Amino acid sequence: MLDTATAWVRKARRIAVLTGAGISAESGVPTFRDAQTGYWAQFRPEDMATEEGFRAHPQRVWDWYAYRRRLLADVLPNDGHRALAAFAQAYPERLTLATQNVDGLHQRAGSAGVLCLHGDIFMHRWLDTPNACCHIELAIAGAPPYCECCGNLLRPGVVWFGEPLPLAVLEAAQTAARRCDVMLVIGTAGAVYPAAGLAHLARTAGAQVVVVNTAPSALDETAHAVLRGAAGALLPQLLAI
Ligand code: APR
């Protein structure tokens, strides 16, 4: 199966990639849905990843994101991130990388133009529509920081459940999925839409869909090839330059 998928990649004029938390697992970043080690085994997503959860307990949610940012400061991109970056550098224009990850590891590995479907954990934005007095750089330090004048709170610049994805980013990813010859779906449970829908879009448009995952995923049935294994081991082979 790996040989077949590698041949598809070699022949492909356009490759679209969707990554999820699994690609960062080998860097030491917890995933969400893995039993025991995933964040959602410990926390309820509605508490930690919704606007309602944040409004109910802003400090608890802010502290969790601050903890995750600290954790990311101590980890490095792995061979999976690096294989994607090296391929795109060797063949500019051939690969479009969309990620659900907010960890910045693709960018740190050298990938340019990453389509961050779920935002960026290192960015902040205002919880409520900002007033003229709201300036992020003047926010009063706190957990969360706030506007001294109106009390507006800063929140993590990520997409929470029930929130729309950044439209231009999503549309660019959808265009890439529709136009690609091969779609690689790497390290995602495929449980969250519209991101997971990119795989269906690619399949419907005629692409070969390849899943890379250590465990069964909801997108296995959509794939022409399922490569069972770790992204850090498989991607350097699949994307050999
Ligand atoms: N290599 C490849 N796949 C792996 C590896 C690895 N080394 N380790 C774990 N996986 C797989 C798991 O088997 C699982 O299918 O990665 C997947 C991780 O799934 P999730 O934890 O559900 O992460 P993801 O699919 O990215 O979640 C989507 O859900 O909570 C939200 O916004 C959050 O972006 C996130 C979204």
Side-chain angles (χ1 to χ4, degrees):
M1 225 11 139
L2 178 59
D3 289 347
T4 307
T6 306
W8 291 341
V9 166
R10 280 216 191 96
K11 266 196 1 216
R13 278 171 307 135
R14 293 199 186 100
I15 300 165
V17 182
L18 170 67
T19 65
I23 195 169
S24 297
E26 290 156 84
S27 292
V29 184
T31 61
F32 295 96
R33 289 173 188 77
D34 282 285
Q36 280 142 27
T37 56
Y39 280 128
W40 299 152
Q42 213 185 329
F43 301 106
R44 291 175 358 129
E46 48 273 50
D47 290 340
M48 298 305 203
T50 62
E51 185 183 322
E52 295 71 34
F54 183 75
R55 285 188 188 278
H57 296 284
Q59 174 159 11
R60 178 171 75 183
V61 177
W62 183 267
D63 285 348
W64 186 56
Y65 283 87
Y67 160 79
R68 288 172 57 193
R69 283 195 294 272
R70 285 197 300 277
L71 186 145
L72 287 170
D74 291 334
V75 306
L76 293 170
N78 64 51
D79 287 346
H81 300 108
R82 281 195 285 269
L84 284 164
F87 189 92
Q89 279 161 14
Y91 304 109
E93 314 294 318
R94 261 176 91 193
L95 188 142
T96 302
L97 173 53
T99 187
Q100 297 164 90
N101 300 344
V102 296
D103 58 25
L105 289 176
H106 283 304
Q107 295 88 330
R108 285 170 60 192
S111 282
V114 183
L115 298 171
C116 294
L117 297 165
H118 292 170
D120 178 344
I121 198 169
F122 294 100
M123 301 288 285
H124 311 312
R125 59 191 168 87
W126 294 108
L127 177 61
D128 292 314
T129 308
N131 295 305
C133 56
C134 297
H135 299 287
I136 290 188
E137 61 286 1
L138 299 180
I140 305 295
Y146 58 95
C147 174
E148 185 174 28
C149 161
C150 69
N152 203 352
L153 301 179
L154 279 187
R155 55 158 284 180
V158 302
V159 176
W160 282 329
F161 289 103
E163 294 182 330
L165 276 57
L167 187 60
V169 174
L170 177 62
E171 284 179 350
Q174 288 172 333
T175 300
R178 272 195 213 96
R179 286 191 185 155
C180 69
D181 305 301
V182 171
M183 167 121 209
L184 306 179
V185 180
I186 303 163
T188 177
V192 174
Y193 284 76
L198 295 170
H200 301 289
L201 215 53
R203 168 123 200 177
T204 307
Q208 304 283 353
V209 178
V210 179
V211 161
V212 175
N213 200 308
T214 46
S217 84
L219 291 171
D220 289 3
E221 282 184 7
T222 309
H224 298 88
V226 176
L227 305 180
R228 193 62 77 223
L234 288 172
L235 290 185
Q237 301 176 63
L238 191 59
L239 296 167
I241 297 165

